[in-house]
Amino acid sequence: LFHCATTGPGGKKSFILISTGQEVSIGKEMAQQVEKDYKVYDDTIVQNYVSRVGNKLVQVSDRKDLKYHFTVLDSKDINAFAAPGGFIYIYTGLLKMMESEAELGGVLGHEVGHVVARHGVKRMQQVIGINILLEISLGSSSEAAKKAVVIGISLALQGYSRENELEADYDAAYYLPQAGYNPKGMVELLKKLNELDKSGKNVIEKLATDHPPTSQRIEKAQAYIDSLGYSNSNLPLFEEDYKKLKERLK
């Protein structure tokens, strides 16, 4: 099972123990549980809008061997997360907080980055173990496999390590202009999250104790955008389009 796979922009490679097919099977099991535990937002236009933006990021990503699924969950919490295999979720609480499609692209690009880098399956591999992951991928109904799915969802909600989070930020900043968005959207998103963090409110991927401070993420994202030559980019933010979407959110 040990193989080399693309896990980042520029053809970055890593050794992975789980095949793509097995990863997708694990993700499907997790997605079924997520959609039992959380209410999917009942608005096809909102769901399609988010999927359209997400797929624009996928098209310029370094991992197109998956069918990505973007789903809006009806929750006031400010969060988004990615399960293995391309299953990406964003809460209405986070959608209401943002002000442009480029900011939404920043969130979805970050989560696509986690999928590209296979952060989810690698973390589950560390915590749960390879044998249980293989049971899940084979559709095992064992108690161990069922518990592992719940643990995997908890891990996804908590976010990842400092290194993983910064890597996903870099991926988002890299993919945004390739998809036609002003990467300033990523920085504006992080600034909003930084203000919420100071207020003590529930913040995206807040539970992981090893997260880099949001202020550090802002500095590093801006420095990376500058290094790519997009300091004063004229690429659009699509604020008006996003305003129309927000009007649909209850």
Side-chain angles (χ1 to χ4, degrees):
L1 293 174
F2 201 59
H3 69 289
C4 197
T6 300
T7 55
K12 180 182 176 181
K13 301 284 185 181
S14 298
F15 285 108
I16 304 295
L17 295 175
I18 294 290
S19 72
T20 296
Q22 289 161 340
E23 181 189 352
V24 171
S25 295
I26 292 164
K28 283 181 179 176
E29 293 290 332
M30 290 175 64
Q32 287 174 8
Q33 189 62 47
V34 166
E35 291 173 30
K36 285 180 184 176
D37 295 343
Y38 295 87
K39 182 182 178 184
V40 173
Y41 192 63
D42 187 20
D43 188 321
T44 304
I45 291 175
V46 171
Q47 296 286 356
N48 288 345
Y49 186 105
V50 171
S51 292
R52 178 180 62 79
V53 175
N55 280 302
K56 285 176 73 174
L57 276 300
V58 168
Q59 290 307 307
V60 297
S61 78
D62 294 83
R63 192 174 185 199
K64 304 182 186 73
D65 60 333
L66 299 170
K67 178 175 173 55
Y68 287 73
H69 305 266
F70 297 90
T71 305
V72 179
L73 299 177
D74 192 353
S75 171
K76 65 181 179 180
D77 290 341
I78 297 167
N79 209 350
F81 64 93
F87 295 86
I88 293 173
Y89 294 91
I90 184 168
Y91 294 20
T92 52
L94 181 53
L95 290 177
K96 290 175 183 178
M97 184 202 76
M98 296 184 292
E99 296 175 348
S100 73
E101 191 172 304
E103 289 181 28
L104 173 59
V107 174
L108 299 180
H110 178 96
E111 301 305 333
V112 168
H114 281 312
V115 175
V116 169
R118 294 166 168 81
H119 288 155
V121 76
K122 286 194 281 189
R123 189 156 186 230
M124 288 182 72
Q125 190 175 285
Q126 291 170 345
V127 174
I128 296 167
I130 187 72
N131 290 335
I132 297 296
L133 281 187
L134 290 175
E135 278 192 43
I136 298 169
S137 72
L138 293 171
S140 171
S141 58
S142 73
E143 285 305 309
K146 289 176 183 176
K147 288 178 182 176
V149 168
V150 174
I151 292 169
I153 293 167
S154 176
L155 292 172
L157 284 167
Q158 289 176 19
Y160 302 93
S161 69
R162 181 181 301 265
E163 180 183 353
N164 289 170
E165 290 303 330
L166 290 174
E167 184 178 3
D169 283 351
Y170 293 156
D171 290 357
Y174 181 83
Y175 294 146
L176 277 169
Q178 308 302 317
Y181 293 110
N182 193 323
K184 179 183 175 183
M186 183 68 187
V187 176
E188 293 302 314
L189 165 71
L190 290 171
K191 286 179 178 177
K192 288 182 173 67
L193 296 178
N194 193 43
E195 288 304 311
L196 285 173
D197 199 23
K198 290 174 183 175
S199 72
K201 294 181 181 178
N202 181 36
V203 176
I204 184 171
E205 296 176 343
K206 178 180 176 182
L207 300 174
T209 56
D210 192 33
H211 273 196
T214 308
S215 57
Q216 183 188 39
R217 292 174 68 186
I218 294 168
E219 291 173 8
K220 287 186 174 292
Q222 186 62 63
Y224 187 55
I225 289 166
D226 292 347
S227 75
L228 293 172
Y230 292 102
S231 304
N232 299 301
S233 173
N234 291 320
L235 286 167
L237 291 163
F238 296 107
E239 292 166 304
E240 288 303 312
D241 289 354
Y242 195 75
K243 184 178 178 181
K244 293 174 184 176
L245 175 81
K246 285 179 71 173
E247 289 171 354
R248 298 190 64 87
L249 297 173
K250 302 168 187 175

